[in-house]
Amino acid sequence: MALSASFKCFRGCEGSFPLTQAIYRCPKCDGLLAVRHDLGALEEKTGTEWKKLFDERWSARSSSGVWNYREWVAPEIPDEAIVTTGEGMTPLYPARRLAKELGFGDLLVKQCGTTHTGSFKDLGMTVLVSVVNHAVRTGALKINAIACASTGDTSAALAAYGAAAGLPVVVLLPRGMVSVAQLVQPLSHGARVLALETDFDGCMSVIRELASRGLVYLANSMNPLRIEGQKTVALEIAQQLGWSVPDWVVIPSGNLGNSAALWAGFSMAKELGLVDKVPRLVIAQAANANPMYLAFSSGALKTGEVTSVTAKATQASAIRIGAPVSAPRAVAALDAMNGVVEQATENELADACARADRSGLYADPHTGVAIACARKLREKGTIAAGERVVIVSTATALKFTEFKLGYHERKLPEMEFPLANTPVPLPPDVDEVAKHLA
């Protein structure tokens, strides 16, 4: 039987739509869409057969970790239409020193920031741009540009993959709210960069209206093609652990699509017989942008409600989102994975980064949020001492040099610096240097 996938209503309304169609919400209920696979066709291979195939591809070091699982992602996209930069197959780092310091028995960090543009957003963008590339090539879709609202990493990924495919890209950024390293990436790739005098939520509002008018093709995670690529993080974690799963997975989350992606990957692996359970989920949020945490801690999630907030400034700029588009998907993921939500203050995330760096990691502020939240849950006893925990690091800290330097020079606002390592100015004199070392 031929493998296939299509868009369907996340809430279960009737109807399906081809992945090559520019559609972002259910036409009946206006709810989010999801990519649904023909599981009957996939079940023609046993779980053992799928594991063997995926292991063979991994051993061969094929060009893309995402497309290692192509049958589970976008099975109808031909090889010649795939746009890849070698994303995925990222390290699962055993953080032994950090684990010992924080009281974890087994702590691993999935280093998703080692991809081409420096963030896990590459995983979703290879799928989205490949599908659009195929649709344009076959005449199924005509576009003026692929476009996104972004706090930095999404724009970098879209610009890189769009450039690789030769497709025009437009990105909307909140002016003054992204790092220099994040800003220069889409500029370098030739994207049209529009810096709006608003925050991410304001940019998202504009881009959704542009897409509804048919002026651009929407590349934000409202588009479930992004989640299809990001779900391979879960598949990689399971594969790297010998087709088992950890007790907990902790992920920093703003727009909440990545939380839904983890559930999509782990649930598919369990349903098709590759693993025997799914892990518990921790959605980690910055305290300055915490709508999911507020809903969880107040009990509002029991009714599925996530009320928007006005996100305040945070060093974890990529998750400075007060109106998460994928909240309904994340609520479902949290419920299915018996998950919890925790938050980290600016001091807590900065301290977590500094502690991680002292152990040999180099943590960006969002990974700092995840580490800080995991630490708090360990201290509360929610995470037990002997449980295996995987923290998903979503970006490289090389994009956040200003944050790192600001911490060690004690220049970040409203923050303490217990682990600051400030440079010591000395004259070029051997005796003076020796005196200092003594």
Side-chain angles (χ1 to χ4, degrees):
M1 187 182 296
L3 301 178
S4 64
S6 59
F7 292 135
K8 293 188 178 182
C9 177
F10 180 75
R11 295 174 178 170
C13 294
E14 292 184 1
S16 63
F17 314 91
L19 299 188
T20 51
Q21 183 173 340
I23 184 170
Y24 316 109
R25 301 193 77 93
C26 174
K28 292 186 178 180
C29 72
D30 197 41
L32 296 171
L33 298 175
V35 174
R36 301 300 187 199
H37 291 262
D38 183 348
L39 292 179
L42 290 171
E43 286 171 344
E44 291 188 1
K45 270 190 173 69
T46 65
T48 299
E49 289 171 330
W50 281 121
K51 287 188 284 188
K52 182 174 183 293
L53 174 61
F54 296 155
D55 286 342
E56 287 172 350
R57 288 176 180 167
W58 190 290
S59 297
R61 302 299 295 178
S62 62
S63 61
S64 166
V66 171
W67 297 101
N68 275 351
Y69 312 104
R70 64 191 66 186
E71 296 89 349
W72 291 28
V73 174
E76 296 168 287
I77 303 303
D79 288 350
E80 61 270 18
I82 290 175
V83 184
T84 177
T85 62
E87 59 286 319
M89 292 191 287
T90 53
L92 188 61
Y93 175 80
R96 297 187 181 93
R97 284 193 61 199
L98 186 62
K100 185 176 181 181
E101 181 176 348
L102 300 184
F104 289 92
D106 191 4
L107 182 66
L108 302 108
V109 179
K110 180 63 171 164
Q111 299 277 49
C112 293
T114 61
T115 57
H116 178 64
T117 73
S119 89
F120 82 108
K121 300 296 178 69
D122 291 357
L123 306 175
M125 214 57 77
T126 182
V127 177
L128 183 142
V129 174
S130 295
V131 171
V132 172
N133 189 41
H134 175 60
V136 170
R137 284 183 173 200
T138 59
L141 184 65
K142 293 183 179 180
I143 62 168
N144 298 316
I146 311 178
C148 70
S150 178
T151 49
D153 290 334
T154 299
S155 65
L158 176 58
Y161 283 84
L167 295 169
V169 169
V170 173
V171 299
L172 275 58
L173 300 174
R175 186 177 179 185
M177 297 185 189
V178 300
S179 72
V180 172
Q182 290 170 307
L183 175 62
V184 77
Q185 286 180 287
L187 293 175
S188 299
H189 290 306
R192 177 166 293 192
V193 178
L194 308 179
L196 305 190
E197 298 285 355
T198 184
D199 58 9
F200 170 82
D201 296 314
C203 291
M204 190 66 208
S205 177
V206 172
I207 207 75
R208 288 174 64 175
E209 180 61 25
L210 292 173
S212 71
R213 297 182 187 184
L215 298 176
V216 297
Y217 180 91
L218 182 65
N220 282 96
S221 58
M222 179 187 291
N223 188 325
L225 291 174
R226 289 271 307 283
I227 290 174
E228 285 303 288
Q230 292 171 16
K231 80 181 182 187
T232 62
V233 173
L235 302 178
E236 286 195 7
I237 290 171
Q239 189 168 5
Q240 287 170 302
L241 293 176
W243 295 110
S244 65
V245 299
D247 297 294
W248 292 88
V249 177
V250 186
I251 191 161
S253 204
N255 220 15
L256 298 174
N258 52 10
S259 306
L262 288 177
W263 165 237
F266 283 121
S267 63
M268 200 168 179
K270 183 177 184 295
E271 190 160 359
L272 291 171
L274 281 71
V275 298
D276 59 6
K277 66 174 185 176
V278 298
R280 295 187 69 183
L281 173 67
V282 177
I283 295 177
Q285 294 208 296
N288 283 355
N290 62 350
M292 193 69 168
Y293 173 78
L294 293 176
F296 178 80
S297 58
S298 69
L301 284 190
K302 294 177 182 178
T303 60
E305 295 181 10
V306 178
T307 303
S308 299
V309 302
T310 300
K312 295 181 287 187
T314 172
Q315 296 297 331
S317 57
I319 56 175
R320 182 182 175 177
I321 298 170
V325 170
S326 288
R329 295 173 177 145
V331 170
L334 203 67
D335 181 61
M337 298 176 75
N338 190 23
V340 299
V341 187
E342 186 54 86
Q343 66 174 358
T345 66
E346 296 301 288
N347 265 324
E348 288 168 341
L349 73 87
D351 179 75
C353 286
R355 290 180 184 278
D357 293 354
R358 289 288 184 96
S359 75
L361 287 162
Y362 194 54
D364 70 286
H366 315 89
T367 304
V369 170
I371 294 170
C373 289
R375 178 186 184 182
K376 292 168 79 171
L377 291 170
R378 174 69 198 93
E379 290 172 347
K380 293 176 182 178
T382 305
I383 297 176
E387 292 185 305
R388 171 175 277 178
V389 179
V390 171
I391 288 173
V392 179
S393 176
T394 54
T396 175
L398 293 173
K399 292 189 178 191
F400 300 93
T401 301
E402 301 100 319
F403 162 72
K404 293 291 191 183
L405 190 60
Y407 180 88
H408 290 292
E409 291 186 343
R410 305 173 186 270
K411 292 181 179 178
L412 298 179
E414 301 179 9
M415 195 171 288
E416 299 172 5
F417 310 95
L419 295 176
N421 187 18
T422 307
V424 179
L426 290 173
D429 181 277
V430 172
D431 291 334
E432 286 294 324
V433 173
K435 181 180 177 180
H436 172 75
L437 294 177

